[in-house]
Amino acid sequence: MEALKLPEIDYGALSPMLILFGAACVGIIVEGLVPRRLRHPVQLGLSFAAIIAAFVMVVVEHGTRKITIGGAVAVDGPTLFLQGAILVLGAVSMMLIGERSIERGGAFVSQAAITVGSQKDLRQAGDQPGATEVYPLTIFALGGMLLFVSANDLLTMFVALEVFSLPLYLLCALARRRRLLSQEAALKYFLLGSYASAFFLFGVALIYGFSGGISLGQVHAAVANPTQSEILLYAGLALVAIGLLFKAALAPFHVWTPDVYQGAPTPITALMAACTKVAAFGALLRILYVAFEGVRWDFQPVLGTVAVLTMLVGAVLAVTQTDMKRLLAYSSIANAGYLLVGVLALNKDGLSSTMFYLVAYGFSVLAAFGIVTLVRDADGEATHLSRWAGLGRKSPLFALTFSFILLAFAGIPLTSGFTSKFAVFGAAVEGGQTWLVIFGVITSMLIAFPYLRVIVLLWLSEPGETTPTVSIPGFLTSAALAIGVIATLALGVVPAPLIDLTRDAAQFVR
């Protein structure tokens, strides 16, 4: 009787994910065994140690090209680059999450099961230390993102989708202040995310019916030589795409984004804007470039229409916003459209420019939300745009930093925003998608208006009696802002090293 042959496992290639999942489990044990007063430094140190160790292993595995765990995980150039990007951006996000000096107790509720408006809720909003469960939850989410961008079969991709989504649903509900808004955001995100996951799983079933397998290589082979009805193929691709387009905040599956970005704790909003976008587009790249490359002429016009709609929705609705977090949410939607333009180039330059854009935008958006955490009054963060009038006169350094980030979002030269847009638009022209570039340039001019309006508001308006103060950032927030601003400037002035790195990594393994 022949012995059952177990799949070969390369633990070195899997080590970044294993480190994060292991650290998250240790973090849960810490919650039960370590005294409450010591949990914050222990959990923060454990989180940074895990992220650094995982990033070191990503660097060690540089150049690896293999498929492991019986075809479930692919380790190649895009996998390692995107995993490194998620870890670096996750570390900066963790700095914002770990900050405790701007608001006493931090941005998170001390106990999740507190009735909103009760005396206990009012007391915790004052000075009680925030919940430290956010650290293992964040590490679990980052670990799921690492698996998501490396998944080589659709079922593993679905599991990874749930692993990083479920912690985010919880984290969105843990804001110290504006508890009802935070809980509403979490509920909306959970309900709509559940529908998106259901669409994704139903699409996996249809694709399995078409190809007879769930690995991306099997799907690729079945697309090249179909033996089943192609209705299963196109219906399955459409449903899987819905799940991925939801996570990437692409229209018309973007409707959750403004509400969730506004209601979630701002450090978690920063995490989602930077890291979740990398994970979502990483999975989308692998699906389109590996599994469905053979039907590119069929999905290109459809996803091109999605890209145009996304850019228009993000640019036009950003003009109407009066809340800073909602403005940045629509900015994120528009940038998702620009990223999809790079994806649809469907060539090596498209792959490399999309990865460059993800990193450049990630650093900029982290800096932007880091600045939002500093503008405060007695009720917490003051995010209404009218409250920001004249802040340039009260805090010139703050206003100068935020103006620079907004100019980067607008794509002004010598910023990473210009370089990244130029890269994805150039790849799209080379890939025959000039019509998308035309819409991209037009919407870039449109969305520059709300950015410039905020800059004018900061510098040319008179501060009023209700103008909030700009808090002095703590060490962690200062570090996050410095990293974000320096990266935004460096990737605009000397982008060549990162561009070369993305070009070297732009090759999937099948």
Side-chain angles (χ1 to χ4, degrees), residues 332-366:
S332 175
I333 292 167
N335 278 279
Y338 303 137
L339 279 161
L340 189 56
V341 172
V343 171
L344 292 176
L346 293 176
N347 52 33
K348 186 174 181 180
D349 285 343
L351 176 56
S352 65
S353 63
T354 301
M355 293 192 293
F356 178 88
Y357 199 122
L358 287 168
V359 173
Y361 175 74
F363 282 116
S364 298
V365 79
L366 286 172

Short mmCIF file of all heavy atoms in Angstrom, two decimals, residues 332-366:
data_model
loop_
_atom_site.label_atom_id
_atom_site.label_comp_id
_atom_site.label_asym_id
_atom_site.label_seq_id
_atom_site.Cartn_x
_atom_site.Cartn_y
_atom_site.Cartn_z
N SER A 332 -8.69 58.38 -1.74
CA SER A 332 -8.26 56.99 -1.82
C SER A 332 -8.98 56.25 -2.94
O SER A 332 -8.38 55.43 -3.65
CB SER A 332 -8.52 56.29 -0.47
OG SER A 332 -8.23 54.92 -0.54
N ILE A 333 -10.27 56.55 -3.11
CA ILE A 333 -11.04 55.92 -4.19
C ILE A 333 -10.47 56.33 -5.55
O ILE A 333 -10.26 55.49 -6.44
CB ILE A 333 -12.52 56.31 -4.07
CG1 ILE A 333 -13.13 55.68 -2.82
CG2 ILE A 333 -13.30 55.89 -5.31
CD1 ILE A 333 -14.48 56.24 -2.44
N ALA A 334 -10.20 57.61 -5.73
CA ALA A 334 -9.63 58.08 -7.00
C ALA A 334 -8.27 57.42 -7.26
O ALA A 334 -7.99 57.00 -8.39
CB ALA A 334 -9.49 59.60 -6.99
N ASN A 335 -7.46 57.33 -6.23
CA ASN A 335 -6.15 56.70 -6.41
C ASN A 335 -6.28 55.21 -6.74
O ASN A 335 -5.43 54.65 -7.45
CB ASN A 335 -5.30 56.90 -5.15
CG ASN A 335 -4.62 58.25 -5.13
OD1 ASN A 335 -3.59 58.46 -5.75
ND2 ASN A 335 -5.22 59.20 -4.41
N ALA A 336 -7.32 54.56 -6.23
CA ALA A 336 -7.56 53.17 -6.62
C ALA A 336 -7.84 53.08 -8.13
O ALA A 336 -7.42 52.13 -8.79
CB ALA A 336 -8.73 52.60 -5.83
N GLY A 337 -8.53 54.07 -8.66
CA GLY A 337 -8.76 54.10 -10.11
C GLY A 337 -7.46 54.25 -10.89
O GLY A 337 -7.26 53.58 -11.91
N TYR A 338 -6.56 55.13 -10.42
CA TYR A 338 -5.27 55.29 -11.10
C TYR A 338 -4.45 53.99 -11.02
O TYR A 338 -3.77 53.62 -11.98
CB TYR A 338 -4.48 56.44 -10.46
CG TYR A 338 -5.22 57.76 -10.47
CD1 TYR A 338 -5.21 58.60 -9.36
CD2 TYR A 338 -5.93 58.17 -11.60
CE1 TYR A 338 -5.90 59.80 -9.35
CE2 TYR A 338 -6.62 59.37 -11.60
CZ TYR A 338 -6.60 60.18 -10.48
OH TYR A 338 -7.29 61.37 -10.49
N LEU A 339 -4.53 53.32 -9.89
CA LEU A 339 -3.82 52.04 -9.75
C LEU A 339 -4.37 51.02 -10.74
O LEU A 339 -3.59 50.26 -11.34
CB LEU A 339 -3.96 51.53 -8.32
CG LEU A 339 -3.01 52.13 -7.29
CD1 LEU A 339 -3.54 51.91 -5.88
CD2 LEU A 339 -1.62 51.52 -7.44
N LEU A 340 -5.69 51.00 -10.92
CA LEU A 340 -6.27 50.03 -11.86
C LEU A 340 -5.84 50.33 -13.29
O LEU A 340 -5.71 49.39 -14.11
CB LEU A 340 -7.79 50.05 -11.73
CG LEU A 340 -8.54 48.94 -12.49
CD1 LEU A 340 -8.04 47.56 -12.07
CD2 LEU A 340 -10.05 49.05 -12.27
N VAL A 341 -5.60 51.60 -13.61
CA VAL A 341 -5.06 51.93 -14.94
C VAL A 341 -3.72 51.23 -15.14
O VAL A 341 -3.45 50.66 -16.21
CB VAL A 341 -4.90 53.46 -15.09
CG1 VAL A 341 -4.15 53.80 -16.38
CG2 VAL A 341 -6.27 54.13 -15.08
N GLY A 342 -2.86 51.26 -14.13
CA GLY A 342 -1.58 50.55 -14.23
C GLY A 342 -1.76 49.05 -14.33
O GLY A 342 -1.06 48.39 -15.11
N VAL A 343 -2.69 48.50 -13.57
CA VAL A 343 -2.95 47.05 -13.63
C VAL A 343 -3.36 46.64 -15.04
O VAL A 343 -2.90 45.61 -15.57
CB VAL A 343 -4.04 46.66 -12.62
CG1 VAL A 343 -4.47 45.20 -12.81
CG2 VAL A 343 -3.56 46.88 -11.19
N LEU A 344 -4.22 47.44 -15.67
CA LEU A 344 -4.78 47.06 -16.98
C LEU A 344 -3.79 47.26 -18.12
O LEU A 344 -4.11 46.93 -19.26
CB LEU A 344 -6.05 47.87 -17.24
CG LEU A 344 -7.22 47.52 -16.32
CD1 LEU A 344 -8.41 48.42 -16.59
CD2 LEU A 344 -7.62 46.06 -16.50
N ALA A 345 -2.60 47.79 -17.84
CA ALA A 345 -1.57 47.80 -18.88
C ALA A 345 -1.21 46.37 -19.26
O ALA A 345 -0.83 46.09 -20.42
CB ALA A 345 -0.33 48.55 -18.40
N LEU A 346 -1.30 45.45 -18.30
CA LEU A 346 -1.06 44.02 -18.52
C LEU A 346 0.28 43.75 -19.20
O LEU A 346 0.39 42.95 -20.13
CB LEU A 346 -2.21 43.40 -19.34
CG LEU A 346 -3.56 43.36 -18.61
CD1 LEU A 346 -4.65 42.82 -19.53
CD2 LEU A 346 -3.48 42.53 -17.35
N ASN A 347 1.29 44.46 -18.74
CA ASN A 347 2.66 44.20 -19.19
C ASN A 347 3.59 44.35 -17.98
O ASN A 347 3.15 44.67 -16.87
CB ASN A 347 3.06 45.16 -20.33
CG ASN A 347 2.81 46.63 -19.97
OD1 ASN A 347 2.93 47.04 -18.82
ND2 ASN A 347 2.46 47.42 -20.99
N LYS A 348 4.86 44.10 -18.20
CA LYS A 348 5.81 44.15 -17.08
C LYS A 348 5.88 45.55 -16.48
O LYS A 348 5.97 45.70 -15.24
CB LYS A 348 7.20 43.70 -17.55
CG LYS A 348 8.21 43.60 -16.43
CD LYS A 348 9.53 43.02 -16.90
CE LYS A 348 10.51 42.91 -15.74
NZ LYS A 348 11.81 42.34 -16.17
N ASP A 349 5.84 46.58 -17.33
CA ASP A 349 5.87 47.94 -16.81
C ASP A 349 4.62 48.26 -16.00
O ASP A 349 4.68 48.99 -15.00
CB ASP A 349 6.01 48.95 -17.95
CG ASP A 349 7.42 48.99 -18.52
OD1 ASP A 349 8.34 48.49 -17.83
OD2 ASP A 349 7.59 49.49 -19.64
N GLY A 350 3.49 47.71 -16.42
CA GLY A 350 2.26 47.90 -15.66
C GLY A 350 2.36 47.29 -14.27
O GLY A 350 1.94 47.89 -13.28
N LEU A 351 2.93 46.09 -14.19
CA LEU A 351 3.10 45.42 -12.90
C LEU A 351 4.06 46.21 -12.01
O LEU A 351 3.77 46.46 -10.83
CB LEU A 351 3.62 44.00 -13.14
CG LEU A 351 3.95 43.15 -11.92
CD1 LEU A 351 2.75 43.05 -10.98
CD2 LEU A 351 4.41 41.76 -12.34
N SER A 352 5.20 46.61 -12.55
CA SER A 352 6.19 47.30 -11.73
C SER A 352 5.69 48.69 -11.31
O SER A 352 5.88 49.11 -10.16
CB SER A 352 7.52 47.42 -12.48
OG SER A 352 7.39 48.24 -13.62
N SER A 353 5.04 49.42 -12.22
CA SER A 353 4.56 50.77 -11.87
C SER A 353 3.43 50.71 -10.85
O SER A 353 3.33 51.58 -9.98
CB SER A 353 4.09 51.51 -13.12
OG SER A 353 2.99 50.85 -13.73
N THR A 354 2.60 49.68 -10.91
CA THR A 354 1.53 49.53 -9.91
C THR A 354 2.13 49.27 -8.54
O THR A 354 1.67 49.85 -7.53
CB THR A 354 0.59 48.38 -10.31
OG1 THR A 354 0.02 48.66 -11.59
CG2 THR A 354 -0.54 48.24 -9.29
N MET A 355 3.14 48.43 -8.46
CA MET A 355 3.78 48.16 -7.17
C MET A 355 4.46 49.43 -6.64
O MET A 355 4.42 49.71 -5.44
CB MET A 355 4.78 47.01 -7.30
CG MET A 355 4.12 45.66 -7.59
SD MET A 355 5.23 44.24 -7.41
CE MET A 355 6.38 44.51 -8.76
N PHE A 356 5.08 50.20 -7.52
CA PHE A 356 5.69 51.47 -7.10
C PHE A 356 4.63 52.42 -6.56
O PHE A 356 4.81 53.06 -5.51
CB PHE A 356 6.42 52.11 -8.28
CG PHE A 356 7.05 53.44 -7.97
CD1 PHE A 356 8.33 53.50 -7.46
CD2 PHE A 356 6.35 54.62 -8.16
CE1 PHE A 356 8.91 54.74 -7.16
CE2 PHE A 356 6.91 55.85 -7.87
CZ PHE A 356 8.20 55.91 -7.36
N TYR A 357 3.51 52.52 -7.26
CA TYR A 357 2.43 53.42 -6.86
C TYR A 357 1.90 53.03 -5.47
O TYR A 357 1.63 53.89 -4.63
CB TYR A 357 1.30 53.35 -7.90
CG TYR A 357 0.34 54.52 -7.87
CD1 TYR A 357 0.13 55.31 -9.00
CD2 TYR A 357 -0.40 54.82 -6.73
CE1 TYR A 357 -0.75 56.38 -8.99
CE2 TYR A 357 -1.29 55.89 -6.71
CZ TYR A 357 -1.47 56.66 -7.84
OH TYR A 357 -2.34 57.70 -7.81
N LEU A 358 1.73 51.72 -5.24
CA LEU A 358 1.21 51.26 -3.95
C LEU A 358 2.10 51.71 -2.79
O LEU A 358 1.60 52.16 -1.75
CB LEU A 358 1.08 49.74 -3.96
CG LEU A 358 -0.07 49.16 -4.80
CD1 LEU A 358 0.10 47.65 -4.97
CD2 LEU A 358 -1.42 49.48 -4.16
N VAL A 359 3.40 51.61 -2.97
CA VAL A 359 4.33 52.02 -1.91
C VAL A 359 4.31 53.54 -1.74
O VAL A 359 4.23 54.06 -0.62
CB VAL A 359 5.75 51.52 -2.22
CG1 VAL A 359 6.75 52.08 -1.21
CG2 VAL A 359 5.79 50.00 -2.21
N ALA A 360 4.39 54.26 -2.85
CA ALA A 360 4.42 55.73 -2.78
C ALA A 360 3.15 56.28 -2.14
O ALA A 360 3.22 57.14 -1.25
CB ALA A 360 4.60 56.30 -4.19
N TYR A 361 2.01 55.79 -2.58
CA TYR A 361 0.75 56.27 -2.00
C TYR A 361 0.62 55.87 -0.54
O TYR A 361 0.11 56.64 0.28
CB TYR A 361 -0.43 55.72 -2.80
CG TYR A 361 -1.76 56.09 -2.20
CD1 TYR A 361 -2.25 57.39 -2.31
CD2 TYR A 361 -2.52 55.16 -1.50
CE1 TYR A 361 -3.47 57.75 -1.74
CE2 TYR A 361 -3.74 55.51 -0.93
CZ TYR A 361 -4.20 56.80 -1.06
OH TYR A 361 -5.40 57.15 -0.48
N GLY A 362 1.09 54.68 -0.20
CA GLY A 362 1.00 54.22 1.18
C GLY A 362 1.69 55.15 2.15
O GLY A 362 1.14 55.52 3.20
N PHE A 363 2.91 55.56 1.84
CA PHE A 363 3.64 56.47 2.72
C PHE A 363 2.93 57.83 2.83
O PHE A 363 2.83 58.41 3.92
CB PHE A 363 5.07 56.68 2.22
CG PHE A 363 5.99 55.55 2.55
CD1 PHE A 363 6.58 54.79 1.56
CD2 PHE A 363 6.29 55.24 3.88
CE1 PHE A 363 7.44 53.75 1.86
CE2 PHE A 363 7.15 54.20 4.19
CZ PHE A 363 7.72 53.45 3.18
N SER A 364 2.43 58.33 1.71
CA SER A 364 1.77 59.64 1.72
C SER A 364 0.49 59.62 2.54
O SER A 364 0.22 60.53 3.34
CB SER A 364 1.46 60.10 0.28
OG SER A 364 2.64 60.24 -0.48
N VAL A 365 -0.31 58.58 2.38
CA VAL A 365 -1.60 58.54 3.07
C VAL A 365 -1.40 58.29 4.57
O VAL A 365 -2.18 58.80 5.40
CB VAL A 365 -2.53 57.49 2.43
CG1 VAL A 365 -2.19 56.07 2.88
CG2 VAL A 365 -3.99 57.80 2.73
N LEU A 366 -0.36 57.57 4.95
CA LEU A 366 -0.07 57.41 6.37
C LEU A 366 0.30 58.75 7.01
O LEU A 366 -0.14 59.06 8.12
CB LEU A 366 1.07 56.39 6.56
CG LEU A 366 0.70 54.92 6.34
CD1 LEU A 366 1.96 54.06 6.37
CD2 LEU A 366 -0.27 54.45 7.40
#
